[in-house]
Amino acid sequence: MTNSSEIPGYGTYLKNLHSKPGASPEQLRQYLRKVSKSEIVASTRIAQGEANEVYEVSFENGMGVIIRIDSRSGKQFEGERWAISRCAELDLPVPEILSIDTYENSNTSCSVWIHRKIDGVPLSQATSKPKNLMILGHKCGEILKKLHTIETKGYGYIDNVGNGKFSSRKGEASEYFALKETLMDAAESHRLDETLILQVLTFVTDFIRDNEPTPCLMHNDYEPKHILVKGNVVAGILDFGEAASGDPMNDLVRFSMSDNILFDSFLNGYGDHDFERVMTYRLGFNLFVIAGCHRKGIESGVQYANRRLHKDIEHTGFHRGV
């Protein structure tokens, strides 16, 4: 099953990004001794995400782990740990965190996250029959609905106690509008409709600023490639690195880009929702993709998001100005 949320050209960008030298075998052994003194029998680097080096590691004793290394300054992973811990309290299928530590290497520091590997394949790669996809989609919706019962404060990326970056939606809206310069540059460089993009940006920003729903925990990257399945069972929800506090409808956006069968069954599992709100946030997501792909030089990604932007407008309250 293809995952329609995959952005053309982004996979190649990630492979190039992760082709650069990473942690040495000695450094990996140092980090992994924290969770097992058994010999490492296999270590594979995975081109996943932009912030971290990611490795799948197998030990002689049969244990398997995923290790993520973040070399940015400051403490990382704290919001993600809080989110996963709260989800575990609700018996949601999240990874078992084995270790989170900070290390000093050659005058630089890095944060290292290790969790136990969950057996399964990403839902985006599952070869299930339509009936089984409906079962899995329904379960994914139920899981997200339960996740959204976790209370948070504020809006935006969360800290180590579940507080969002902004105290009100005005701050969140400002992050969207900060895209203006990049979007205008992208419009000029790729021959996009500059006037339309600016009008959509204003529409989405005004919507966010004027609507202040009760915030809850958002996975914020909830889509089939981050969901592991085994048969008809959802085995694990991965990658809480974007965990945020905000409007739960915003958390339905990534799944809305799945196959119709999967998304329809997902909505049935999730229950009550506001489709127009989902699609309004999806307009904002398209703008972020246009801006991000433009910065990274991914022409095909810019054009793909622009086509999707035009198509999605019809499902919202947006009306083009004269």
Side-chain angles (χ1 to χ4, degrees):
M1 183 191 71
T2 58
N3 179 8
S4 59
S5 69
E6 286 293 339
I7 300 164
Y10 187 63
T12 301
Y13 169 81
L14 281 181
K15 286 181 180 178
N16 292 335
L17 185 68
H18 289 280
S19 65
K20 300 174 183 177
S24 67
E26 292 76 18
Q27 287 173 326
L28 281 178
R29 279 195 290 271
Q30 176 192 5
Y31 304 149
L32 290 163
R33 284 193 198 101
K34 187 82 175 183
V35 299
S36 178
K37 292 182 171 55
S38 180
E39 290 296 317
I40 298 172
V41 294
S43 175
T44 304
R45 189 169 180 177
I46 304 171
Q48 177 180 311
E50 298 183 35
N52 307 320
E53 291 176 46
V54 184
Y55 300 85
E56 179 181 332
V57 178
S58 300
F59 293 97
E60 194 173 47
N61 62 7
M63 181 180 179
V65 302
I66 301 296
I67 176 170
R68 297 158 57 210
I69 304 168
D70 191 329
S71 298
R72 295 173 295 178
S73 60
K75 281 191 173 183
Q76 310 301 332
F77 303 130
E78 293 303 321
E80 185 173 2
R81 170 160 50 185
W82 184 88
I84 287 181
S85 297
R86 292 303 312 276
C87 288
E89 292 172 6
L90 296 179
D91 293 324
L92 296 178
V94 292
E96 178 189 354
I97 303 171
L98 300 175
S99 174
I100 302 177
D101 285 287
T102 300
Y103 294 85
E104 300 293 332
N105 294 306
S106 303
N107 299 320
T108 62
S109 63
C110 66
S111 298
V112 177
W113 166 295
I114 305 174
H115 70 249
R116 194 180 299 274
K117 182 180 181 295
I118 299 174
D119 289 332
V121 298
L123 179 54
S124 58
Q125 299 174 18
T127 56
S128 304
K129 296 179 180 179
K131 182 179 178 180
N132 293 337
L133 280 182
M134 291 175 66
I135 293 172
L136 290 169
H138 195 279
K139 289 179 179 178
C140 289
E142 290 179 328
I143 289 169
L144 189 62
K145 188 72 170 185
K146 195 171 183 180
L147 185 153
H148 286 165
T149 65
I150 299 173
E151 297 179 358
T152 53
K153 293 181 180 180
Y155 301 90
Y157 292 127
I158 57 172
D159 61 16
N160 62 340
V161 292
N163 292 329
K165 179 180 178 181
F166 305 108
S167 59
S168 75
R169 293 268 274 180
K170 291 181 180 178
E172 189 176 358
S174 69
E175 280 206 334
Y176 277 83
F177 208 74
L179 294 174
K180 180 180 177 180
E181 183 177 346
T182 303
L183 286 170
M184 293 302 95
D185 187 51
E188 181 179 357
S189 300
H190 304 284
R191 298 183 180 181
L192 312 181
D193 187 334
E194 181 177 315
T195 301
L196 178 64
I197 287 178
L198 182 56
Q199 288 176 348
V200 173
L201 177 62
T202 302
F203 172 74
V204 173
T205 302
D206 289 348
F207 170 82
I208 294 172
R209 186 193 61 232
D210 297 338
N211 291 271
E212 195 149 327
T214 302
C216 68
L217 176 63
M218 293 167 47
H219 178 282
N220 209 28
D221 208 2
Y222 196 79
E223 61 175 295
K225 70 179 181 180
H226 293 147
I227 297 170
L228 295 181
V229 299
K230 288 185 70 175
N232 288 338
V233 175
V234 176
I237 308 299
L238 305 179
D239 203 345
F240 282 74
E242 296 290 306
S245 174
D247 185 348
M249 292 301 100
N250 201 357
D251 221 7
L252 276 61
V253 167
R254 310 302 197 277
F255 231 95
S256 74
M257 298 167 188
S258 305
D259 297 342
N260 289 336
I261 290 176
L262 190 61
F263 184 50
D264 288 346
S265 58
F266 166 81
L267 289 179
N268 287 333
Y270 186 85
D272 290 342
H273 62 278
D274 184 331
F275 186 70
E276 186 171 319
R277 266 165 68 200
V278 174
M279 294 305 294
T280 299
Y281 287 120
R282 183 160 146 165
L283 293 183
F285 179 70
N286 289 331
L287 294 178
F288 268 103
V289 174
I290 290 172
C293 287
H294 174 61
R295 292 192 194 102
K296 298 174 178 69
I298 309 174
E299 163 76 20
S300 56
V302 171
Q303 297 297 344
Y304 172 72
N306 183 58
R307 290 192 298 271
R308 198 168 58 189
L309 179 72
H310 281 72
K311 185 177 179 180
D312 290 349
I313 283 173
E314 63 187 78
H315 299 292
T316 71
F318 173 81
H319 298 286
R320 181 162 190 167
V322 178

